[in-house]
Amino acid sequence: MATCFQLRGCGAQRLSLVPPGRGPCPCAGYLGLSTQPKPGLALLRGYAQGLAGLPPALLRTDGFVGGRWLPARAIFPVHDPASGAELGKVADCGAPEARAAVRAAYEAFCSWREVSAKERSSLLRKWYDLMIKNKEDLAKIITAENGKPLKEAQGEILYSALFLEWFSEEARRIYGDIIYTPAKDKRSLVLKQPVGVAAVITPWNFPSAMITRKVGAALAAGCTVVVKPAEDTPLSALALAELAKQAGIPPGVYNVVPCSRKKAKEVGEALCTDPLVSKISFTGSTATGKILLHYAADSVKRVSMELGGHAPFIVFDSANVDQAVAGAMASKFRNSGQTCVCSNRFLVQRGIHDSFVKKLAEAIKRDLRVGNGFEEGTTQGPLINEKAIEKVEKHVSDAVSKGATIETGGKRHRFGKNFFEPTLLSNVTRDMLCSHEETFGPLAPVMKFDTEEEAVAIANAADVGLAGYFYSQDPAQIWRVAEQLEVGMVGVNEGLISTVECPFGGIKQSGLGREGSKYGIDEYLELKYVCYGGL
C-alpha cells in the first residue's frame, strides 16, 4: 500500500472538490498550463476537428494530467479503420509525460484516499450521469476510431457507464472485520485501505468499457489512476477525461497519457517501474502481459491482468440446434470477432454436426452485413488494421491447406482493405493454426467430436482459459462440463456472458484477478490487521 510523503520540491496538497464548470480551469478552454487561453488557433489545440459529424466538444487530443490538458512535444495520427481517413492528431506522450502523470496521481492520492466513501460515490455517479447524457456522441467516437457498428458502440457506452454506476454503489460497501481471539484483553480488526496509484493499460477493442471497468473500481476504493489507452483508440479515453472533469473528479485522480505504437514500450515501462505506482491493471495480449509482469516484479507491485483467450464453444447432441446457432452468432461475430471472450473453437458432436454447420452457414449469410459502422444495418465493421486482416487470412489459408472446407466467406471483403468476410470452416482438425491460436477476427472453425470426454480434453488443451461456452439439455452433463472446463467464465446455453454484476477474468495464462462485480474492488484494496491490546 502506498504511503504518502512529501515529494521533493512540492508537498501533496489537499484536494478541493470543485463543482463542474467552476474554479480556475474551465473545461472548454483549458490548454497547456495557462489558465487564460490565447485567442485564435490556440483555442483549438485541445480539440480534434470532428470528422463525419463527430462531437467536437468531446474530441480532445492533448494528454490529461493533473486536471489539465497538456500537449506533448510530438503528435501521432488516429485513423478510421473503415476508410483510413485521419480523425485527428493526438499528443504522443513519452516516459517524461508518463512520470509526470504518476507524480500528479500520487499527489492526488494523498488527499483522495481521505475523501469519504459517500463523496467518492457521488462523484462517480455524476460521471455516470454525464456518460448517459452524452451516450450518442461517445458511441460515435468509438465507431470512428474502432470501426464497430454504431449499435454495438451504443451498447458499449451503456455497458461502460454501468461500471461507474456499479462502483459508485460499491464505494459505500467497503467493509472490514472484527475477529475475536482467545485473548480477553485484545481485540483484532481488519481494515481495507486503497492500494495507491494504479497504472491502467487498456486495449482498443472496447476503448471505453475497459477503462471504466478498471477506473470505476480504483476510484471507488480511494485509488488514483494513470490510463494509457491503446494507440489505435485514444479518443475515447480522452472523451472520458473531459466528462470526468465536468463531473468534478478532482485534478490528478484520473490522468490519461496517450502515445503512439512507437512509444508504447517506453511509456508502459515507465508506468510499471515507477516506485510511486502501487498497482498495475492491464488488458491485452498474453505476450505483453508477461513483459509487464517482469516490470512489476522488480518492485513487487500488485497486478491484475485480463489476457488472451481461446474460447471453446461446445455443442452436444442433446443441444437445441437453433439456440446453439443463435448463441454462436452472438458470441463469435460481435465486434467482428475482435473480443477476448468470443468463441474461437467450435466443437460439435457428430450426431448434430451437419445440422449445426448448415444452419450456422445460413445464419451468417442471412443475418450479417459487412460495411461502415455508421451505415444503417451494418453488423460487421472493419478489423482494426492490416495486421489483423493478415492474421485471419493466415489462419484460413493454413486450415484450407490442411483439409478444411470453406462453407462461407474465406477472403477479404470488397468493401475495403480492413474488411473480411464472416467465415465458416468445417472439417477443421487440431493441427491447424486456428485450433491453437486466437484468431481475433470473424472466423468460425468447426471441429467434429464423438464423446464428452474428448470435447473437454480438446477444450482444456489450451494454455489459456478465459471463457468457454457449451450447449446441452442434459442436466447432469451441464454440471459435469461446467465444473470441468478450465476457464474463468462459462456460458451454459448462452453466448453473451458479460455483465457488470458478475466477476470477469480467467485462469492459466489468461490472467490474474477479477474485474467488475463485488469482487472487482478488492483488486484495489489492501488488508491491514490491527491488534488492539491492553483492554
Side-chain angles (χ1 to χ4, degrees), residues 181-435:
T181 67
K184 294 183 178 180
D185 62 342
K186 296 179 182 179
R187 295 293 183 270
S188 298
L189 302 89
V190 176
L191 308 179
K192 290 185 177 181
Q193 296 181 308
V195 171
V197 176
V200 172
I201 303 175
T202 57
W204 51 263
N205 58 337
F206 289 92
S208 181
M210 295 302 95
I211 292 175
T212 58
R213 192 163 72 185
K214 300 170 187 294
V215 171
L219 269 58
C223 297
T224 57
V225 299
V226 178
V227 176
K228 191 208 84 65
E231 57 272 12
D232 293 301
T233 56
L235 299 177
S236 291
L238 296 170
L240 287 175
E242 174 65 31
L243 295 182
K245 191 177 179 75
Q246 292 179 24
I249 302 295
V253 173
Y254 177 79
N255 306 274
V256 183
V257 284
C259 70
S260 63
R261 185 172 282 103
K262 182 179 179 181
K263 290 187 179 178
K265 184 179 184 297
E266 70 173 84
V267 170
E269 182 174 0
L271 292 176
C272 294
T273 59
D274 195 303
L276 297 181
V277 172
S278 299
K279 161 79 179 181
I280 299 168
S281 180
F282 170 72
T283 296
S285 71
T286 299
T288 301
K290 290 177 180 179
I291 294 171
L292 300 183
L293 279 170
H294 280 291
Y295 290 152
D298 286 341
S299 50
V300 196
K301 299 185 190 301
R302 284 278 296 274
V303 174
S304 56
M305 295 197 167
E306 191 260 285
L307 306 176
H310 192 38
F313 188 104
I314 307 172
V315 185
F316 291 102
D317 280 343
S318 66
N320 179 311
V321 178
D322 292 333
Q323 188 181 43
V325 168
M329 293 288 286
S331 173
K332 173 71 256 185
F333 294 107
R334 185 167 59 110
N335 200 15
S336 298
Q338 298 174 114
T339 79
C340 53
V341 294
C342 78
S343 300
N344 213 59
R345 297 171 290 158
F346 289 82
L347 313 177
V348 185
Q349 200 158 12
R350 186 175 297 276
I352 208 170
H353 174 274
D354 292 350
S355 175
F356 176 84
V357 169
K358 179 183 178 182
K359 290 189 175 185
L360 183 56
E362 291 171 350
I364 290 172
K365 295 172 184 177
R366 179 185 66 243
D367 299 336
L368 299 184
R369 179 189 167 193
V370 177
N372 188 297
F374 284 108
E375 292 182 355
E376 187 76 23
T378 293
T379 65
Q380 303 290 288
L383 272 65
I384 191 65
N385 53 37
E386 176 78 10
K387 185 177 179 181
I389 287 285
E390 290 173 353
K391 185 172 185 181
V392 180
E393 284 184 321
K394 180 180 178 182
H395 279 195
V396 172
S397 175
D398 172 79
V400 171
S401 72
K402 294 174 180 176
T405 300
I406 298 175
E407 299 291 340
T408 186
K411 61 183 183 300
R412 296 194 189 210
H413 196 277
R414 64 182 183 279
F415 200 88
K417 70 172 186 177
N418 286 345
F419 292 83
F420 201 90
E421 295 177 343
T423 299
L424 174 63
L425 300 180
S426 61
N427 297 318
V428 172
T429 55
R430 296 180 67 178
D431 63 327
M432 298 174 184
L433 285 176
C434 59
S435 297

Side-chain angles (χ1 to χ4, degrees), residues 314-324 349 352 470-481 492-494:
I314 307 172
V315 185
F316 291 102
D317 280 343
S318 66
N320 179 311
V321 178
D322 292 333
Q323 188 181 43
Q349 200 158 12
I352 208 170
F470 69 93
Y471 279 71
S472 170
Q473 298 298 316
D474 180 340
Q477 183 178 62
I478 287 172
W479 280 111
R480 286 195 306 271
V481 176
V492 182
N493 298 325
E494 178 57 58

Side-chain angles (χ1 to χ4, degrees), residues 513-528:
R514 293 297 182 269
E515 294 183 336
S517 78
K518 68 176 184 178
Y519 305 104
I521 202 167
D522 290 337
E523 299 291 333
Y524 298 89
L525 293 168
E526 293 279 21
L527 295 181
K528 178 183 285 185

